[in-house]
């Protein structure tokens, strides 16, 4: 019982950290994207502006850390719990873009965010049902082999 | 009008990223920590490559509109991944997956209309 609890809580912590990294990375992407050269200036100009774009590079690094944490968590976590936590990143990014980028959130946009969080959570539930079915099938096959 | 270009770019990015996720899944079947096997696992390499490439249209899209409009469209990747895993990986469509896809489409529509 204790072992089971431990296996559930570690992926949850990992996913919370992952979404924090990924959400902050989006803010850095946005700040960095404004420093990028126009694509009309040619590819060499674009590459040069990427190398000098520190917010963007920092954002990419944070995203990479977040992605690794996410993959580790999803490997042995409970999808129906992890997906809703991942989906919360849509709320964090909205709040962060109000604070850091001075963007405005209309009522319509909040409804949209709410529906997306709900939708991603539903897909998490759907995948959980899938993995349970696959696991049941595998254990049945194993029993048959014995 | 510029927001529409941005939205199109994000959607393109999520489409590329979803193919990346598909190849990562295919590559994970033969995954082992040995470097020689990782190099020969072309599914895994293509998956990583597509995943990286998918961020390029997204970052460019941020020049065309606010983050609070562009980022929610990243959720469309769940639609593509679900479709691809049903067509290619022969996963089953479930009631909850339908509900999720419909809800995400509605959510994204609200974001688009509200901006």
């Amino acid at each position: 019982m204790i072992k089971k609890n431990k296996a559930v809580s570690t992926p949850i912590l990992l996913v919370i950290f992952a979404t924090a990294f990924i959400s902050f990375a989006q803010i850095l992407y946005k700040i960095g994207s404004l420093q990028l050269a126009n694509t009309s200036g040619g590819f060499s100009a674009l590459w040069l502006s990427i190398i000098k774009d520190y917010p963007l590079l920092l954002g990419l690094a944070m995203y990479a850390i977040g992605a690794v944490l996410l993959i580790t968590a999803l490997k042995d976590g409970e999808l129906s719990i992890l997906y809703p936590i991942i989906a919360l990143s849509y709320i964090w990014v909205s709040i962060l873009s109000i604070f850091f980028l001075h963007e405005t959130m209309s009522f319509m946009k909040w409804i949209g965010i709410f529906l997306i969080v709900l939708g991603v959570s539903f897909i998490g539930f759907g995948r959980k049902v899938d993995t349970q079915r696959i696991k049941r099938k595998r254990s049945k096959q194993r029993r048959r082999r014995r | 009008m510029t927001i529409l270009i941005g939205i199109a770019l994000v959607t393109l990015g999520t489409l590329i990223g979803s193919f990346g996720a598909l190849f990562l899944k295919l590559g994970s079947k033969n995954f082992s920590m040995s470097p020689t096997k990782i190099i020969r696992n072309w599914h895994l390499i293509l998956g990583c490559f597509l995943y990286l490439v998918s961020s390029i249209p997204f970052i460019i899209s941020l020049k065309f509109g606010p983050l609070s409009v562009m980022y929610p469209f990243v959720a469309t990747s769940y639609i593509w991944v679900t479709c691809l895993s049903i067509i290619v990986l022969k996963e089953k469509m479930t009631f909850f997956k339908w509900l999720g896809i419909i809800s995400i489409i509605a959510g994204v529509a609200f974001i688009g209309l509200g901006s």
Side-chain angles (χ1 to χ4, degrees), chain A residues 14-15 18 64-77, chain B residues 24 51:
Chain A
L14 281 173
V15 157
I65 295 168
V68 170
L69 291 175
L70 198 63
I71 291 166
T72 323
L74 286 175
K75 230 170 78 185
D76 40 28
Chain B
L24 284 178
Y51 225 78

Side-chain angles (χ1 to χ4, degrees), chain B residues 40-84:
Chain B
R40 265 185 260 151
N41 190 342
W42 70 271
H43 281 139
L44 197 71
I45 291 166
L46 184 63
C48 285
F49 174 74
L50 289 175
Y51 225 78
L52 289 173
V53 168
S54 74
S55 62
I56 297 171
F58 174 65
I59 290 165
I60 295 171
S61 82
L62 293 175
K63 285 175 86 95
F64 291 94
L67 179 67
S68 57
V69 174
M70 295 308 157
Y71 187 66
F73 278 87
V74 172
T76 53
S77 65
Y78 289 97
I79 303 171
W80 318 135
V81 169
T82 305
C83 292
L84 282 174

Side-chain angles (χ1 to χ4, degrees), chain B residues 75-94:
Chain B
T76 53
S77 65
Y78 289 97
I79 303 171
W80 318 135
V81 169
T82 305
C83 292
L84 282 174
S85 45
I86 286 158
I87 298 166
V88 182
L89 304 173
K90 311 288 178 207
E91 284 178 11
K92 286 226 168 70
M93 194 66 192
T94 59

Side-chain angles (χ1 to χ4, degrees), chain A residues 26-27 29-30 33 36 38 56 83 86 89-90 93 97 101 103 105-106 108-109 112-113 115-116 118-120 122-123 125-127 130 133, chain B residues 51 58-59 62-63 65-69 71-72 74-75 78 81-82 91-92 94 96-97 99-101 103-104 106-108 110-111 113-114:
Chain A
Q26 308 306 316
I27 303 296
Y29 279 172
K30 174 70 189 185
S33 75
L36 279 182
N38 275 320
L56 184 69
Y83 265 63
I86 296 167
S89 74
Y90 294 96
V93 171
S97 33
L101 307 168
E103 292 181 4
M105 286 294 291
S106 60
M108 286 269 268
K109 274 163 90 178
I113 294 290
L115 286 171
I116 289 170
L118 210 63
V120 174
F122 280 142
I123 288 182
F125 281 111
R127 287 203 184 143
D130 250 11
R133 192 181 290 142
Chain B
Y51 225 78
F58 174 65
I59 290 165
L62 293 175
K63 285 175 86 95
L67 179 67
S68 57
V69 174
Y71 187 66
V74 172
Y78 289 97
V81 169
T82 305
E91 284 178 11
K92 286 226 168 70
T94 59
F96 276 117
K97 285 184 188 171
L99 218 57
I101 285 183
S103 185
I104 288 171
V108 158
F110 268 103
I111 299 280
L113 293 171

